[in-house]
Amino acid sequence: MIALPKFYITTPIYYVNDKPHVGHAYTTVAADVLARWHRLKGDATFFLTGTDEHGEKAEIAAEKAGKSPKEFVDGIVSEYKRVWEALNISYDGFIRTSDPAHEETVAKAIEKIYANGDIYKGFYEGWYCIPDETFWTELQLKDGKCPECGRDVKLLKEESYFFKLSKYQDRLLKLYNDNKDFLSPKARAKEILNRVKDGLKDISITRTTIKWGVTFPLDKKHTLYVWVDALFNYISALGWPEGQKFKEFWPADVHLVGKEINWFHSVIWPALLLSAGIEPPKKVFAHGWWTSSGRQMRKSFGNVIDPVLMAEKYSLDAFRYTLLKTMPLGEDGDFSEDGLKTRLNNELVAELGNLLNRTVTIAAGFDGKIEGKPELDACLNVKLVDELMERLDTHGALEAIFSYIKIANKYVNDKEPWKLKGAELGNVLYNLLEAVRIISILVSPFMPGSSEKINAQIGAEPGNLGDCVFRPFNGKVVKGEHLFRKMP
Ligand code: ME8
């Protein structure tokens, strides 16, 4: 038996101190689109998301809310799940780091790393940023603040266990060299490469002052550093070491993350895996950031955008589309309601919605045979769209799909079907309906709800990538409502 190609994609597991905003929605929607694309191709697909529940940040947030950490995080986790449902996220697994099975996996992996001689006891003295759960040296601080987020840092002086990250410099460089796509996108690879070439310092991996976390299996006074605990979610969710899913899906094909946590994923994570004798993932893709009114999205700046509100106001698919159409995955962008509205009106209503509406309107007034010879197939390049999606160029893929939609609209203008009848009209309709059926398949990972609505109006079954070829049209057209509503 030939095994199906497989695709394992993950999002970061999000902190549970607050509910998700547009930034969290971005990564999750992008991963959802890629997972749905691979399902269209018939790949055995596993899409993992989840929550990072331990650490000082969650401990403090729980205390503020007057709840136990577990009680507090349970509430936020339900909120995350509610948001992912509202955004039509098709995850296959949801991992919580407070799951006992996850904690056992982490302890087991740490024991392997220790047995490999890569953990030693020492003393940590340096700075800690609680919002980022990150250690910094004095030299790294910017004006005495966290160089990543600009917030206050706190001085730590405590006994700690260390992981010998320094030992892995050569093996990491070899990994990057042997797997040219490991560090993605290319534009961000250099930064990591240079830092690794400069030399790696061992990292502190335990704390004595934090209780909310995985107990360090080799010394119960210590709690494991939340990042080390968190990274192992990607294999604990698959039941490492013996789980069937682990055997089927590991190594991950893509860890999709925001650029600020690239270091953890591109350097620390593969080093931990190499130490534990586990194969590293195939690719870490660090995407860009959304700002809001030109600034980082933060509660204290009052510029946090609620993804569910956007979806309710402008339609879910217009929101999903805007997230992926505004800029390539590697770049930064500024989120604005005006930008969302413009895309909704100019691209979704005027192009996609218009094409469907014109097609079904003409079809509704036609009682001849919908048949003819393919004319609109020549400018359709499904292979190109697939190549772009394989490179995680979701923006380029949408551009290619939408330029085809434009071509189909131009075909209507050129053919002037309102002047035609009989077999000539049947031929134009045939071409339009087949084009619309295929477009519906191609947009389905991005806009699953709209694809369903299109299929209902042209009487088509949900298809897969192999169905994106012109063939006899056998649907029954039932004209329905406009796909998108224009917003003033
Ligand atoms: O870092 N623009 O969790 P987190 C784009 N728990 N993406 C954004 C964004 C923005 N403005 N804001 C957040 C953590 N994100 C750790 C991860 S993984 C083992 C542990 C997205 O809740 C982006 O994916 O702070 C970023 O990396 C992630 O949310 C950070 O989420």
Side-chain angles (χ1 to χ4, degrees):
M1 199 179 81
I2 302 167
L4 281 180
K6 66 92 184 166
F7 186 69
Y8 177 31
I9 185 165
T10 65
T11 69
I13 49 170
Y14 303 107
Y15 289 130
V16 285
N17 56 311
D18 214 341
K19 59 182 196 175
H21 62 53
V22 157
H24 306 108
Y26 180 50
T27 323
T28 313
V29 168
D32 183 58
V33 168
L34 292 162
R36 286 177 186 269
W37 185 264
H38 281 269
R39 291 190 199 112
L40 269 191
K41 294 177 68 156
D43 297 349
T45 301
F46 197 82
F47 166 24
L48 178 72
T49 191
T51 41
D52 187 354
E53 306 185 8
H54 292 136
E56 195 159 0
K57 182 158 151 157
E59 214 172 53
I60 293 172
E63 203 178 290
K64 260 196 195 152
K67 293 183 177 167
S68 74
K70 179 74 173 116
E71 240 183 325
F72 176 75
V73 297
D74 281 351
I76 308 261
V77 169
S78 330
E79 183 67 11
Y80 262 90
K81 289 191 170 164
R82 189 187 67 80
V83 171
W84 298 155
E85 196 182 328
L87 301 186
N88 207 348
I89 303 298
S90 64
Y91 59 80
D92 301 294
F94 192 103
I95 179 85
R96 299 184 54 176
T97 54
S98 64
D99 285 347
H102 167 80
E103 299 185 352
E104 277 166 32
T105 302
V106 177
K108 219 183 294 173
I110 290 297
E111 276 162 6
K112 281 199 91 171
I113 292 172
Y114 179 74
N116 195 18
D118 286 344
I119 291 176
Y120 63 91
K121 195 172 176 176
F123 190 81
Y124 181 80
E125 190 167 349
W127 300 88
Y128 196 73
C129 169
I130 298 171
D132 286 344
E133 300 278 15
T134 303
F135 295 96
W136 301 107
T137 63
E138 181 89 37
L139 276 177
Q140 287 172 314
L141 300 185
K142 241 193 224 152
D143 303 324
K145 309 261 186 197
C146 169
E148 186 65 58
C149 71
R151 283 177 273 205
D152 288 342
V153 284
K154 117 178 182 188
L155 186 63
L156 291 186
K157 278 185 188 176
E158 57 188 56
E159 178 187 290
S160 178
Y161 286 83
F162 286 79
F163 169 63
K164 283 188 191 165
L165 184 62
S166 59
K167 181 174 145 187
Y168 287 89
Q169 181 185 28
D170 291 345
R171 289 181 69 185
L172 287 171
L173 291 174
K174 181 168 174 356
L175 171 71
Y176 308 147
N177 193 48
D178 293 349
N179 305 276
K180 296 284 187 241
D181 287 337
F182 183 92
L183 298 174
S184 289
K186 286 266 171 302
R188 253 189 261 290
K190 230 189 171 64
E191 185 193 324
I192 297 282
L193 260 178
N194 288 344
R195 275 180 70 188
V196 175
K197 278 183 188 154
D198 275 354
L200 295 168
K201 283 204 171 67
D202 294 347
I203 55 167
S204 163
I205 57 161
T206 68
R207 304 278 307 270
T208 48
T209 48
I210 304 300
K211 289 289 157 265
W212 177 234
V214 175
T215 304
F216 185 57
L218 310 158
D219 182 342
K220 309 264 188 264
K221 278 203 314 291
H222 289 250
T223 302
L224 200 65
Y225 173 36
V226 61
W227 261 102
V228 173
D229 160 5
L231 287 163
F232 280 102
N233 89 85
Y234 301 128
I235 61 167
S236 72
L238 300 183
W240 175 80
E242 294 303 331
Q244 192 48 41
K245 284 205 174 67
F246 180 76
K247 290 178 185 154
E248 192 180 347
F249 289 105
W250 191 257
D253 293 84
V254 186
H255 288 314
L256 186 62
V257 300
K259 61 181 181 181
E260 83 290 0
I261 57 174
N262 197 9
W263 181 258
F264 289 98
H265 285 83
S266 294
V267 180
I268 298 176
W269 177 225
L272 289 169
L273 287 169
L274 288 168
S275 174
I278 304 166
E279 197 180 336
K282 292 189 191 159
K283 180 184 289 189
V284 174
F285 191 102
H287 68 63
W289 270 357
W290 283 103
T291 50
S292 160
S293 311
R295 290 179 91 183
Q296 207 181 346
M297 242 175 277
R298 210 184 278 175
K299 224 177 183 173
S300 56
F301 296 160
N303 64 350
V304 173
I305 298 171
D306 178 348
V308 176
L309 203 69
M310 290 302 106
E312 281 170 2
K313 201 160 162 191
Y314 298 97
S315 83
L316 171 59
D317 284 353
F319 173 65
R320 289 176 57 113
Y321 173 82
T322 299
L323 288 181
L324 294 168
K325 184 70 190 312
T326 304
M327 73 268 188
L329 214 47
E331 291 173 19
D332 299 330
D334 194 60
F335 192 92
S336 75
E337 284 198 52
D338 271 351
L340 173 46
K341 209 190 306 176
T342 306
R343 285 193 193 282
L344 167 64
N345 291 344
N346 297 356
E347 295 167 35
L348 296 177
V349 175
E351 295 291 349
L352 179 56
N354 187 29
L355 177 65
L356 174 70
N357 187 52
R358 294 164 105 184
T359 304
V360 295
T361 304
I362 304 162
F366 179 70
D367 56 7
K369 272 210 162 110
I370 298 179
E371 61 183 18
K373 61 173 195 337
E375 289 168 351
L376 257 177
D377 62 334
C379 25
L380 171 71
N381 194 343
V382 177
K383 197 164 159 273
L384 169 73
V385 179
D386 184 41
E387 279 167 13
L388 293 164
M389 291 300 280
E390 286 286 345
R391 275 187 258 141
L392 274 72
D393 186 354
T394 42
H395 176 263
L398 274 178
E399 297 239 297
I401 299 167
F402 272 70
S403 62
Y404 184 62
I405 295 172
K406 268 205 163 100
I407 289 169
N409 269 320
K410 183 167 179 303
Y411 178 82
V412 182
N413 301 346
D414 292 348
K415 292 286 175 183
E416 302 184 306
W418 45 92
K419 292 185 181 164
L420 303 176
K421 47 183 193 288
E424 272 188 324
L425 182 54
N427 180 57
V428 169
L429 264 177
Y430 161 71
N431 274 282
L432 286 174
L433 283 161
E434 275 298 279
V436 168
R437 179 182 63 76
I438 292 168
I439 288 164
S440 170
I441 297 173
L442 296 175
V443 299
S444 65
F446 298 88
M447 301 184 275
S450 302
S451 174
E452 275 174 28
K453 286 186 196 162
I454 297 173
N455 291 346
Q457 295 205 28
I458 63 169
E461 294 296 321
N464 57 42
L465 217 55
D467 296 315
C468 293
V469 284
F470 274 62
R471 59 191 190 199
F473 178 77
N474 54 18
K476 183 174 173 347
V477 177
V478 186
K479 188 172 182 260
E481 282 180 6
H482 284 277
L483 206 48
F484 297 97
R485 204 159 39 88
K486 197 170 169 144
M487 291 284 282

